Amino acid sequence: MVSINYAFREICCKIVYYGPGLSGKTTNLIYIHKKAPPQTKGELISLATDADRTLYFDFLPIDIGPVQGFSTKFQLYTVPGQVYYNATRKLVLRGVDGLVFVVDSQAAKLEENIESMNNLIENLEEYGYVLEELPMIIQYNKRDLEEVSSLEELEKCLNPRGLPYFEAVAVKGTGVFDTLKAISKLVLEKARGKSEPEGKKELISVSAESKSSVMPSAEREELEKKPYAPARESVPEAPLGKDSFEEVERDLEQPEKTYRVEEKLEKAREREREKEEQAKETVRLQKEKEEELIKVRLKEQEEKARKEKEGAERKKLFLERLEREMAGVERQKKALELEKIKEAEELRKKEQAALIEKMKKMEEEKKTLIQSQSEIEKETVEAERVSKEAVPEGPVQTVKADETGLPFQSKIIISPMLRQKKTKPAKGGFLWRWIQKIAGPNLDPKNRR
Amino acid sequence: MDTKNSRSEFGSKEQEVKLQDDSLIIHEEEIEKIDRALIKLIKGAEAKCALLVDKDGYLITRQGFTHSLDTTALAALLAGSFASTREIARLVGEPEFSVLFHQGKRDHIHISLVGERSILVAIFDDRTTIGMVRLYAKECGEELATILGQAHKSKKKSEPAIDSGFAASAEDRLNDIFRD
Ligand SMILES: Nc1nc2c(ncn2[C@@H]2O[C@H](COP(=O)(O)OP(=O)(O)OP(=O)(O)O)[C@@H](O)[C@H]2O)c(=O)[nH]1
Ligand SMILES: [Mg+2]
C-alpha cells in the first residue's frame, strides 16, 4: 500500500527484499546504506541473530527528496530467509508495494531458491495479494562465485513470467543500485495508478453515507461549506500552528494574490474559531480530568475509611477471640495439671502397692528360708545323732550305695530339703559346700552315671 | 501487556475489508484533526509525545516532544512489534491484544490499536501514570478511528493527483542519487 500523505506532501512506498537464507538480501541493504548520499538515507536497523542472520527484518528508509512537490520515500525491508522464520517473514510482507527477489546463483542452492519463490507466492496469497499485480524484480546474486547455475537455467526455473532481472554481486555492489532503481520506478508507476481521483458517482454515494456518521452535523456542514481551493498546489499551506493572520497580512501587500485573500481570511477565521473551540475543549477536558481526579480521591478516601473501619472491627474481633482462646488455654492448662497430679498420685500408689507386695514376698521368702534353715539344722543335728549312734564302736561302717552312687543316708537327708526348696542350692553357697561335704563329689550331676 | 480484548472498541471488521486493497491516503484536514486529537492526549495525560503509525510501519503524524527521536525507525519497529504481538495473540487463540505497554526505567510506551490499521503510540514518563495515559489514549483512539473512518470514505477530488509524469520525474532523481 503506497501511503500518500497530502498534509506532509509525502509519498511512502514499501519495498521488500525476499529470497532464501544467505542469498544476500541484507548485503543489498548494507551496500545501499553505505553508498547512498547522506541526505537520502536514514539509519539501517537490523533485527538479527548473533550470527548476523536476519531474525525479523532489516529496515532502511530512503528519501529521494521532492518529486513534483511530493517528498518521495522508500522503506526497504528484508525478510529472514531461513525456512523456519516464516511467521515473521510473512509479517514483513504486509503492505508491500514492490518486491525484489534475491536469488543465490550457486548451483547447489537452486532448490532453495525455488522453494523460497513458492513460499512467497503462498504468503502473498494468504494476504489476498495478487502476485501478478505486484511490481517485482529478480536479482541473480553471487555471480562472482564459481559453481553457479547458468542464467538460462535460472530464468527457466525462477522467472517464468519474464520479470525484469539483474545479475549482481551484492558484496561488491554490482547490480544493487540498478535493482533498487528499477523496483522504485515500477512501484511509483503503480502508485500513480492507485491514487488517481475517483469518479463523481463514488463521491455522491460517499456523502450520502457520511450523513449517518458519528461526526456532529454542524462540524460536517462547516467542512462542506469550506471553499474549494484551486490554487493549493502552487501555494503551500501554512504549516500547522503558524499564525495565519500574519500570513494574510503579508499576502495583502501583494495585489496579484488578493483573490486568494478572501479564502485565506475565511480559513484563518475558521482556524481562530477552531483554536477557540480547542481552548474550550481543553478547559472542558481539564475540568473532566479534575472531576475524575476528585472522584478518584473521594473513592480512595472512602476506601481508606472503609478499610480503617474494617481494620478496627477486625482488631476487636481478633482481641475477643484472643481472650476467648486465652481463657480456653488456661482452662486446658489447669485440667492438664490436675490430670498430671492425679496420674502422679496413682503412679505413686501403684508403686507403693508394688513395693508392699515386694516386701511381703521378701518377707515370705525370708520366712521360708529361715524355716528351711531351721529344718536343715534340725536334720543336721538328727543326722549327726544318727551317725554317732551308728558308729559308736568298731571300724567305720561303709554305707552301701544304690545305683545313683549316692549313699543312702545322704539321699535321705538331701531329698526332702531339695524338694522343699524347689530350686537347687546355689553353687558355691554355704549350703552347697555343706552338702558337698556330706554327699561327696557324686552330688554333681556331671559326675553321675 | 494488557490482554484486554476490544476488537470492536475502535473500529469494525467491515472497515478493514474495505480498506485492505486501498492505499493509505491522508489529507490535510484529517491531519489537522488527528493532530488536535493527539495534542489533547498529550495535554490530558501529560505524555511526552504521541505518534500515529500505520500498521505497515508508516508514520502518519506526530505531536509533542519528538525532536530527539528517529520517528521513522520508531514507526517501523513499533509496527513490527505490534504485528508480531498480533501474531502471538492469534497463536494463543486471542483475537487481538489491543493494548501493548512497555515499561522502562524512565520512559514508558503505551501502544494501542486504532481502527483496524493504525497504531496510536504515547511515550510518557513518571510525571503521569499509566492509568491516565490509558484513559486518554482510549478516548483519543475512538476519536481517531472516527476521523480515519471518514478520511477513507471521502476522497477529495480537489487533491492534486500524482500524474503520469511522476514516475518519469522520479527516475531522473533516482538515477542522480544512486550512482555507484
Ligand atoms: N561471494 C559472494 N558472497 C555474497 C554475495 N552477496 C552476499 N554474500 C555473502 O553471503 C552471506 C549472506 O549474506 P546476507 O546478506 O546476510 O544473507 P541474507 O539473504 O540476508 O540471509 P538471511 O538473513 O539469513 O535471510 C554473507 O556472508 C555475504 O557476505 C555475493 O554477491 N557474492
Ligand atoms: Mg538477512
Side-chain angles (χ1 to χ4, degrees):
Chain A
M1 263 161 274
V2 179
S3 138
I4 303 173
N5 194 327
Y6 282 100
F8 300 151
R9 311 215 146 248
E10 210 176 83
I11 292 181
C12 212
C13 313
K14 178 169 179 174
I15 294 172
V16 175
Y17 284 70
Y18 211 93
L22 295 175
S23 66
K25 304 174 288 294
T26 303
T27 310
N28 262 272
L29 256 60
I30 290 172
Y31 181 81
I32 295 166
H33 182 245
K34 205 164 70 187
K35 285 293 163 73
Q39 74 275 12
T40 62
K41 66 191 175 194
E43 203 141 341
L44 172 63
I45 287 172
S46 286
L47 303 184
T49 66
D50 288 343
D52 272 341
R53 303 295 301 270
T54 304
L55 180 67
Y56 196 169
F57 56 72
D58 302 300
F59 171 76
L60 175 63
I62 293 285
D63 183 351
I64 65 166
V67 177
Q68 295 193 345
F70 279 90
S71 160
T72 306
K73 295 179 174 175
F74 296 97
Q75 303 202 323
L76 311 184
Y77 285 85
T78 74
V79 297
Q82 293 177 83
V83 176
Y84 48 83
Y85 287 146
N86 194 46
T88 47
R89 182 162 52 240
K90 205 175 130 191
L91 289 178
V92 179
L93 264 189
R94 204 193 126 106
V96 62
D97 297 311
L99 277 163
V100 173
F101 191 91
V102 182
V103 174
D104 190 333
S105 296
Q106 294 177 89
K109 297 290 177 97
L110 188 61
E111 203 58 43
E112 273 180 49
N113 289 312
I114 294 168
E115 195 185 320
S116 174
M117 184 66 93
N118 288 333
N119 170 258
L120 168 64
I121 293 165
E122 218 171 89
N123 282 340
L124 287 175
E125 266 171 9
E126 274 179 48
Y127 275 125
Y129 299 151
V130 185
L131 180 72
E132 285 74 26
E133 283 181 10
L134 213 58
M136 184 160 158
I137 300 281
I138 293 186
Q139 182 187 76
Y140 297 117
N141 191 31
K142 303 202 181 179
R143 296 309 290 171
D144 59 321
L145 295 179
E146 303 223 319
E147 307 259 317
V148 294
S149 306
S150 70
L151 209 56
E152 295 78 50
E153 192 180 1
L154 289 170
E155 276 283 282
K156 203 182 84 197
C157 292
L158 294 163
N159 194 9
R161 286 195 289 141
L163 296 168
Y165 68 85
F166 292 91
E167 291 184 77
V169 183
V171 269
K172 293 195 192 109
T174 317
V176 171
F177 277 158
D178 288 336
T179 311
L180 177 62
K181 279 185 277 191
I183 189 64
S184 306
K185 232 187 89 187
L186 282 185
V187 167
L188 288 179
E189 273 168 12
K190 193 82 199 307
R192 174 181 60 84
K194 263 190 176 172
S195 69
E196 259 169 358
E198 316 213 356
K200 224 179 177 179
K201 208 173 137 200
E202 171 84 1
L203 260 172
I204 290 164
S205 71
V206 162
S207 61
E209 231 178 292
S210 61
K211 279 221 172 68
S212 61
S213 68
V214 208
M215 207 177 199
S217 58
E219 202 179 336
R220 199 183 64 237
E221 269 170 33
E222 225 177 70
L223 266 175
E224 280 168 3
K225 264 193 283 171
K226 226 174 178 178
Y228 170 59
R232 181 175 275 167
E233 200 181 350
S234 50
V235 182
E237 289 288 341
L240 272 176
K242 193 172 167 191
D243 195 357
S244 313
F245 281 113
E246 222 175 80
E247 203 189 332
V248 171
E249 267 173 39
R250 241 194 297 114
D251 282 352
L252 272 168
E253 287 161 18
Q254 297 170 299
E256 75 272 19
K257 278 192 177 177
T258 355
Y259 72 99
R260 283 183 214 135
V261 166
E262 291 274 305
E263 194 191 300
K264 285 219 159 187
L265 265 173
E266 177 63 28
K267 238 191 162 161
R269 271 190 222 112
E270 218 165 273
R271 277 195 192 170
E272 213 52 31
R273 271 203 298 276
E274 274 169 14
K275 257 191 210 160
E276 268 171 37
E277 255 172 51
Q278 212 173 316
K280 267 190 225 158
E281 186 73 6
T282 317
V283 169
R284 192 181 63 77
L285 272 167
Q286 203 69 29
K287 252 190 198 161
E288 263 178 31
K289 192 181 149 189
E290 270 164 25
E291 272 165 27
E292 187 100 14
L293 275 177
I294 288 169
K295 258 193 233 160
V296 169
R297 291 244 170 80
L298 271 175
K299 228 179 174 181
E300 271 175 10
Q301 270 173 0
E302 262 174 42
E303 189 79 359
K304 212 173 139 193
R306 200 172 55 76
K307 268 191 189 156
E308 265 171 23
K309 213 172 130 197
E310 262 181 29
E313 256 167 46
R314 232 180 293 147
K315 202 170 155 191
K316 210 175 120 198
L317 279 174
F318 175 72
L319 280 175
E320 276 175 14
R321 217 180 67 198
L322 200 71
E323 252 170 63
R324 269 204 309 277
E325 271 173 20
M326 292 269 272
V329 166
E330 207 63 36
R331 251 190 319 220
Q332 247 176 340
K333 228 160 103 183
K334 267 184 195 156
L336 219 69
E337 267 169 25
L338 245 112
E339 224 168 284
K340 260 191 202 161
I341 291 169
K342 260 189 214 162
E343 256 174 44
E345 226 160 312
E346 255 167 54
L347 210 70
R348 216 164 43 215
K349 268 185 198 162
K350 258 191 215 161
E351 272 172 15
Q352 254 175 356
L355 217 67
I356 290 166
E357 194 90 355
K358 225 174 166 184
M359 267 158 75
K360 268 186 196 160
K361 255 192 206 159
M362 270 160 79
E363 203 74 32
E364 256 170 54
E365 268 171 37
K366 216 171 131 185
K367 262 187 207 160
T368 43
L369 209 69
I370 290 167
Q371 213 183 321
S372 61
Q373 225 168 0
S374 63
E375 254 173 62
I376 287 166
E377 268 165 32
K378 242 198 261 164
E379 278 174 38
T380 318
V381 171
E382 177 70 15
E384 272 173 12
R385 194 185 51 82
V386 168
S387 59
K388 263 180 196 161
E389 271 174 20
V391 205
E393 62 239 40
V396 174
Q397 195 189 344
T398 325
V399 181
K400 214 181 164 190
D402 69 353
E403 302 83 25
T404 60
L406 282 175
F408 291 119
Q409 282 190 350
S410 305
K411 215 175 160 190
I412 293 159
I413 296 162
I414 294 162
S415 44
M417 186 191 76
L418 282 179
R419 241 180 276 123
Q420 207 175 20
K421 261 289 242 184
K422 274 184 190 141
T423 49
K424 283 178 190 167
K427 271 187 183 175
F430 152 76
L431 201 55
W432 179 255
R433 261 183 276 129
W434 181 78
I435 292 166
Q436 265 189 328
K437 202 176 136 191
I438 295 171
N442 285 338
L443 183 69
D444 202 327
K446 274 188 240 161
N447 299 336
R448 285 192 197 171
R449 246 169 299 135
Chain B
M1 196 189 303
D2 195 326
T3 55
K4 197 179 63 175
N5 162 31
S6 50
R7 178 182 258 278
S8 56
E9 198 172 60
F10 298 145
S12 69
K13 178 93 202 205
E14 183 201 337
Q15 222 171 6
E16 184 188 35
V17 177
K18 244 187 183 164
L19 300 177
Q20 217 156 42
D21 50 13
D22 218 337
S23 306
L24 174 70
I25 296 178
I26 292 170
H27 303 271
E28 186 157 353
E29 300 101 74
E30 288 139 30
I31 289 290
E32 280 180 24
K33 281 192 215 157
I34 291 168
D35 280 340
R36 252 182 280 148
L38 293 185
I39 288 169
K40 208 157 80 180
L41 162 66
I42 292 171
K43 285 190 179 153
E46 290 175 75
K48 282 169 99 172
C49 64
L51 320 171
L52 186 66
V53 177
D54 182 79
K55 258 191 184 171
D56 298 342
Y58 304 123
L59 178 71
I60 297 173
T61 185
R62 59 181 186 214
Q63 281 297 325
F65 189 73
T66 58
H67 297 284
S68 56
L69 293 173
D70 182 350
T71 46
T72 313
L74 198 61
L77 289 171
L78 285 166
S81 164
F82 209 91
S84 86
T85 311
R86 185 195 186 126
E87 214 36 38
I88 292 166
R90 199 181 61 76
L91 289 178
V92 301
E94 184 73 17
E96 189 132 63
F97 295 128
S98 63
V99 175
L100 258 182
F101 173 54
H102 297 306
Q103 179 155 24
K105 261 204 184 110
R106 282 177 299 118
D107 290 343
H108 323 296
I109 302 188
H110 183 276
I111 310 169
S112 51
L113 189 64
V114 172
E116 286 293 337
R117 58 174 292 165
S118 310
I119 302 160
L120 172 63
V121 181
I123 302 180
F124 61 100
D125 58 20
D126 289 332
R127 275 175 301 183
T128 181
T129 62
I130 171 74
M132 286 305 273
V133 174
R134 194 193 295 260
L135 184 77
Y136 280 93
K138 187 165 177 275
E139 196 179 284
C140 181
E142 280 161 9
E143 204 173 325
L144 291 176
T146 314
I147 296 167
L148 290 172
Q150 288 286 314
H152 289 283
K153 279 182 189 167
S154 57
K155 271 186 197 150
K156 292 274 162 21
K157 204 184 166 191
S158 58
E159 292 293 357
I162 296 167
D163 60 36
S164 49
F166 191 86
S169 321
E171 190 179 359
D172 292 342
R173 186 169 279 275
L174 285 168
N175 288 334
D176 226 40
I177 292 171
F178 298 119
R179 267 184 305 199
D180 292 284

